[in-house]
């Protein structure tokens, strides 16, 4: 029988971030994934400045392009380009990025193992047992970092308020002469947008909706690409859900914590999930390390750690409901000079959405940003 201090199921950004921090605290971590790495992950690979800052190590070797400009449109009309002087987003390819993070985590001391099936999770007062195709694995705590379809979430019955968005992506080859700003075409689909994310030798294109009942298929993506960049069929088209509703997630009691998409922590306004995956993994790790050192309740500590993330998600939830209900008005506000300056300034400073809303006016008036404190998380 295998044992560890902590089992982390899922070796994506949330799982690796948790495992890295736990290992740094001297704990024995077993990281499980059903896939051999490198593996394909459906994702546009836009890593915001705040996400890059949250990581514990440099990811310079896997950054394919850094973008400063943003182009936006509403229903494919009235396109505007926001010119920036500082980076607002770094472009990566998920298979390379995730493999890089896994190698860093294993180098830090975590063990990695492939399990094809998880059949059961049994919690007791002192430990948690995971019954897999490779036998029983026991640990003091379990972190469910296994993404939108989380098996850990389903087996443990945690988190009723989970819901899913959906996105389809593909790639188009690009030549250096093409216009390569990062683009969002809002309301190209109901409750979402089309995107154009330039990488080194290709463009990642896709369609996202926060509404699970909106059907987006291969043909929708082909039509979007032809209309947006006048190119033929994108290749490697795949779709995948995004975990949402995380502002309602309560870790409850026990020895199982959910992080990242498993906990529904994707921002519904923009579909950004990597930042919250990384920091929720780190917060779960801190809560468990604290519990193992002091005997405190890990779920309670984790719940407190999630508060700033959940405030941000709740704000994004309210903003997305208004923005996608009245897209023309929302878009006019978005492209107004004060909002544009606040957004570009906030993104380049690595500020979460709620902080941009609260303090973005400071960019417009040339005022300094408040120092780090309880009220904000940048
Ligand atoms: C099309 C698309 C585009 C996106 N673009 C962006 C973007 O540009 N920027 C951004 O910030 N976010 C984006 N997102 C969201 C982002 O991909 C997710 O929020 C992020 O991957 C969540 O990380 P995670 O570690 O929680 O889960 P994942 O990255 O999904 O990792 C979960 C891991 O768990 C493993 N796993 C799953 N089930 C099991 C099991 N039963 N047993 C063992 N292992 C298992 C998987 O193999 C995987 O390695 C996009 C999502 C989609 C679908």
């Amino acid at each position: 029988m295998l044992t560890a201090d902590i089992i982390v199921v899922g070796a994506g950004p949330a799982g690796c971030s948790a495992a890295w921090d736990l290992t740094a605290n001297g704990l024995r971590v077993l990281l499980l994934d059903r896939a051999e790495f490198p593996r394909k992950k459906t994702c546009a690979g836009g890593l915001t400045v705040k996400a890059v800052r949250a990581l514990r190590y440099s990811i310079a070797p896997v950054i394919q392009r850094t973008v400063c400009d943003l182009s936006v449109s509403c229903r494919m009309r009235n396109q505007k380009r926001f010119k920036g002087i500082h980076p607002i987003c770094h472009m990566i390819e998920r298979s390379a990025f995730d493999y890089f993070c896994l190698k860093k985590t294993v180098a830090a001391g975590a063990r990695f193992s492939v399990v094809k099936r998880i059949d059961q999770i049994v919690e007791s007062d002192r430990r948690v047992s995971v019954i897999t195709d490779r036998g029983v694995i026991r640990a003091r705590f379990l972190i469910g970092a296994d993404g939108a379809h989380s098996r850990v979430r389903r087996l443990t019955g945690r988190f009723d308020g989970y819901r899913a968005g959906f996105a389809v992506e593909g790639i188009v080859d690009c030549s250096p002469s093409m216009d390569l700003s990062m683009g969002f075409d809002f309301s190209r689909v109901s409750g979402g947008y089309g995107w154009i994310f330039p990488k080194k030798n290709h463009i990642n294109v896709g369609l996202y909706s926060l509404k699970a009942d909106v059907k987006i298929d291969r043909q929708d993506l082909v039509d979007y690409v032809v209309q947006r960049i006048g190119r033929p069929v994108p290749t490697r088209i795949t779709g995948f859900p995004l975990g949402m509703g995380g502002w309602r997630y309560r870790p409850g009691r026990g020895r199982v914590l959910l992080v990242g998409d498993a906990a529904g922590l994707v921002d519904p306004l923009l579909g950004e999930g990597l930042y919250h995956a990384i920091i929720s993994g780190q917060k779960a790790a801190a809560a468990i390390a604290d519990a193992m050192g002091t005997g405190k309740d890990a779920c309670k500590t984790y719940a407190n750690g999630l508060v700033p993330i959940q405030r941000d998600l709740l704000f994004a939830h309210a903003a997305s409901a208004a923005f996608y209900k009245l897209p023309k008005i929302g878009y006019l506000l978005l492209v107004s000079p004060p909002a544009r300056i606040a957004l570009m300034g906030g993104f380049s400073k690595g500020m979460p959405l709620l902080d941009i809303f609260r303090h973005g006016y400071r960019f417009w008036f040339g005022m300094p940003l408040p120092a780090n404190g309880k009220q904000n998380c940048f």
Side-chain angles (χ1 to χ4, degrees), residues 131-154:
I131 293 120
T132 74
D133 59 317
R134 301 197 49 191
V136 181
I137 311 173
R138 287 212 172 115
R140 297 276 301 278
F141 288 95
L142 170 67
I143 294 182
D146 47 346
H149 288 303
S150 177
R151 179 89 176 134
V152 174
R153 184 182 64 236
R154 283 180 286 141

Side-chain angles (χ1 to χ4, degrees), residues 9-15 32-35 37 39 41-48 94 98 115-118 145-151 166-169 195 197 207 238-242 259-262 266 271-275 277:
V9 178
L32 304 175
D33 203 290
R34 66 176 170 200
F37 279 59
R39 54 102 177 87
K41 165 74 184 100
T42 301
C43 179
L47 202 56
T48 51
R94 280 296 298 275
D98 287 18
V115 287
K116 289 290 168 209
R117 232 183 42 244
I118 295 179
D146 47 346
H149 288 303
S150 177
R151 179 89 176 134
F166 191 72
V168 170
E169 61 139 352
W195 77 77
F197 282 10
L207 294 170
T238 50
F240 203 75
L242 297 90
V259 296
D261 274 31
V266 173
E272 180 187 0
L274 289 166
Y275 171 63

Side-chain angles (χ1 to χ4, degrees), residues 12-22 55-57 105 277-279 281-282 285:
C16 280
S17 299
W20 199 96
D21 277 20
L22 288 163
L55 287 161
R56 304 294 189 206
Y57 36 80
T105 309
I278 294 163
I279 59 168
Q282 294 169 347

Side-chain angles (χ1 to χ4, degrees), residues 359 361-370:
H359 302 292
Y361 68 90
R362 290 167 185 265
F363 292 104
W364 177 246
F365 292 110
M367 293 159 69
L369 292 169

Side-chain angles (χ1 to χ4, degrees), residues 172-173 178-179 196 203 205 224-232:
V172 176
D173 290 340
M178 286 181 75
D179 179 5
I196 302 283
I203 306 172
V205 290
Y224 170 59
V225 171
V226 170
Q227 191 182 2
R228 180 61 161 77
I229 47 183
R231 282 259 166 156

